[in-house]
Amino acid sequence: MSDRMMIGHLYPGKIHPAALHNERKTQAHANPPAGTFQELLNENLLKISNHAAKRLQERGIELKGDQLAQIQSAVDKAAAKGSKESLILMKDMALIVNIPNRTVVTAMDGNAMKDNVFTQIDSAVIIS
């Protein structure tokens, strides 16, 4: 272990674990799953694809810590039901998330959602 580890190496383009739901942290400490540190880290982080990041920026959508925790919880619920591609509706925004990869594929604001048809999803999670 002579390689230096920098914060940017651990979390490039991903959401920091501190933004995750407290319940998930508690469960992780109670029954730590087997696997390497990198595998565990990748399993628990919500990633944002380049396409989704571009859409968030174009549409002026800013995700805050509490919203990220709610999205993470919605992803966990969809994963528990065996979902693959899920539509997550939160107030005036919609996210399409690849559940197995825990990756936000695209994002829309209220205006972009109007008269839109969502295809290639197998579930929807509505966050109030």
Side-chain angles (χ1 to χ4, degrees), residues 40-60:
L40 295 175
L41 187 63
N42 289 339
E43 277 181 19
N44 294 318
L45 292 179
L46 183 65
K47 302 168 203 80
I48 299 177
S49 71
N50 290 335
H51 175 78
K54 193 181 298 182
R55 295 295 174 258
L56 288 168
Q57 184 179 17
E58 286 174 0
R59 295 171 176 153

Side-chain angles (χ1 to χ4, degrees), residues 113-125:
M113 284 190 298
K114 290 180 183 173
D115 298 324
N116 203 344
V117 176
F118 297 98
T119 60
Q120 298 181 357
I121 61 169
D122 61 9
S123 62
V125 182

Side-chain angles (χ1 to χ4, degrees), residues 14-108:
K14 298 177 183 174
I15 296 169
H16 192 276
L20 300 178
H21 196 278
N22 288 337
E23 211 173 273
R24 186 155 183 86
K25 288 182 196 174
T26 309
Q27 292 172 353
H29 292 298
N31 296 325
T36 67
F37 175 75
Q38 188 63 41
E39 289 171 349
L40 295 175
L41 187 63
N42 289 339
E43 277 181 19
N44 294 318
L45 292 179
L46 183 65
K47 302 168 203 80
I48 299 177
S49 71
N50 290 335
H51 175 78
K54 193 181 298 182
R55 295 295 174 258
L56 288 168
Q57 184 179 17
E58 286 174 0
R59 295 171 176 153
I61 301 171
E62 186 176 325
L63 297 174
K64 298 191 174 32
D66 60 331
Q67 291 174 318
L68 293 172
Q70 290 176 321
I71 294 166
Q72 182 72 33
S73 177
V75 170
D76 292 341
K77 289 175 185 176
K81 296 286 185 174
S83 298
K84 302 290 181 222
E85 295 284 333
S86 186
L87 169 67
I88 297 178
L89 295 171
M90 173 187 263
K91 296 181 184 174
D92 63 341
M93 90 174 105
L95 305 169
I96 303 290
V97 180
N98 179 292
I99 301 299
N101 295 334
R102 305 183 79 77
T103 303
V104 177
V105 178
T106 194
M108 288 165 260

